[in-house]
Amino acid sequence: MKAINIITTILLCCILSSCSNAQNKSVQKTPMGKKVLIVYLSRTNNTKAIAEIIHHQVGGDLVAIEMQKPYPADYKTTVAQVANENESGFLPLLKTNIENIDQYDTVFVGFPTWGMALPPPIKSFLRKYNFKGKTIVPFNTNAGYGIGSTFDTVKSLCAGSKVLEGFSTKGGIEKEGVLLAIKDGVRKQAEMKVIAWLRKIGLNKKDNG
């Protein structure tokens, strides 16, 4: 009888120990254990290239932001239209719809710099959804003039969310006919910069499990 009790006690201890280990493993979450959404607006595919690099590093869902009425193909016409939209506060309607936005914990938002400001379609996207409690990560491409007011505008439109340090790099120069610049060797260099940035903000999948 005592032998049976001893065996029962040993088995019970093993079971409890196993459950304790399982619980310990379940609470050890890494940043990339969360749901990730990567959305981007890209006219010349440079921002798209950065979005693809981020997606390769962190995983998640990759979505292009499209409008119901796309901008004109002509560069100067688009510049004039965007300037009018920024001045009037007009927000273009989006074709892209994220039905399950609530499931995402971390949202990467990519865009070019237009007129040293955040593109109107990105303003539409950020106003359309509630990002309270989420982590927002901006990334940007530009013609060499920098981010302008873009990152500050993202912060103002994402009140209640945690906005991490953004990423920015030079892309194409459409007004000079230079479209997709982030390709071949330049893309490889950009990839190294993205990896360093993701490590800095603690969101590199390969480093976090």
Side-chain angles (χ1 to χ4, degrees), residues 6 11 18 38 45-46 48 61 68 94-95 99 108 121 139 142 145 155 168 180 185-186 200:
I6 291 173
L11 289 174
S18 176
I38 304 167
N45 289 327
N46 289 287
K48 178 183 179 182
D61 295 329
Q68 290 188 10
L94 302 181
K95 179 179 178 181
E99 295 182 354
F108 287 80
F139 61 98
N142 58 79
Y145 300 105
K155 290 179 181 178
S168 181
L180 179 59
V186 175
K200 184 178 181 181

Side-chain angles (χ1 to χ4, degrees), residues 30 34 96 125 141 179:
T30 64
K34 298 181 179 180
T96 302
F125 174 77
T141 63
L179 302 182

Side-chain angles (χ1 to χ4, degrees), residues 49-125:
I50 298 300
E52 290 172 344
I53 292 172
I54 294 172
H55 183 245
H56 178 71
Q57 293 298 319
V58 305
D61 295 329
L62 183 63
V63 178
I65 292 180
E66 299 179 344
M67 295 181 297
Q68 290 188 10
K69 185 178 180 181
Y71 284 111
D74 181 72
Y75 172 74
K76 291 184 178 180
T77 304
T78 296
V79 169
Q81 180 176 329
V82 170
N84 289 332
E85 290 175 349
N86 284 331
E87 185 176 350
S88 65
F90 175 78
L91 297 177
L93 296 176
L94 302 181
K95 179 179 178 181
T96 302
N97 183 44
I98 311 295
E99 295 182 354
N100 53 352
I101 193 77
D102 291 340
Q103 74 168 320
Y104 296 104
D105 304 292
T106 302
V107 182
F108 287 80
V109 183
F111 46 83
T113 301
W114 284 358
M116 300 307 292
L118 192 68
I122 295 296
K123 295 177 187 176
S124 294
F125 174 77

Side-chain angles (χ1 to χ4, degrees), residues 114-134:
W114 284 358
M116 300 307 292
L118 192 68
I122 295 296
K123 295 177 187 176
S124 294
F125 174 77
L126 293 179
R127 288 186 181 278
K128 184 175 181 179
Y129 302 100
N130 180 10
F131 295 99
K132 186 176 181 180
K134 299 184 185 299

Side-chain angles (χ1 to χ4, degrees), residues 38 49-60 62 187-188 191-192 194-195 198 203-206:
I38 304 167
I50 298 300
E52 290 172 344
I53 292 172
I54 294 172
H55 183 245
H56 178 71
Q57 293 298 319
V58 305
L62 183 63
R187 180 174 176 128
K188 187 63 179 178
E191 182 178 8
M192 294 299 101
V194 168
I195 291 173
L198 290 172
L203 292 179
N204 187 278
K205 181 179 180 180
K206 296 178 181 178

Side-chain angles (χ1 to χ4, degrees), residues 121-189:
I122 295 296
K123 295 177 187 176
S124 294
F125 174 77
L126 293 179
R127 288 186 181 278
K128 184 175 181 179
Y129 302 100
N130 180 10
F131 295 99
K132 186 176 181 180
K134 299 184 185 299
T135 296
I136 306 299
V137 193
F139 61 98
N140 162 274
T141 63
N142 58 79
Y145 300 105
I147 62 172
S149 61
T150 61
F151 285 4
D152 288 338
T153 304
V154 169
K155 290 179 181 178
S156 68
L157 293 176
C158 295
S161 64
K162 180 180 180 181
V163 181
L164 299 186
E165 176 183 338
F167 174 85
S168 181
T169 191
K170 184 178 179 180
I173 308 176
E174 188 176 1
K175 68 178 181 179
E176 296 181 8
V178 181
L179 302 182
L180 179 59
I182 303 177
K183 59 181 179 180
D184 304 326
V186 175
R187 180 174 176 128
K188 187 63 179 178
Q189 292 174 7

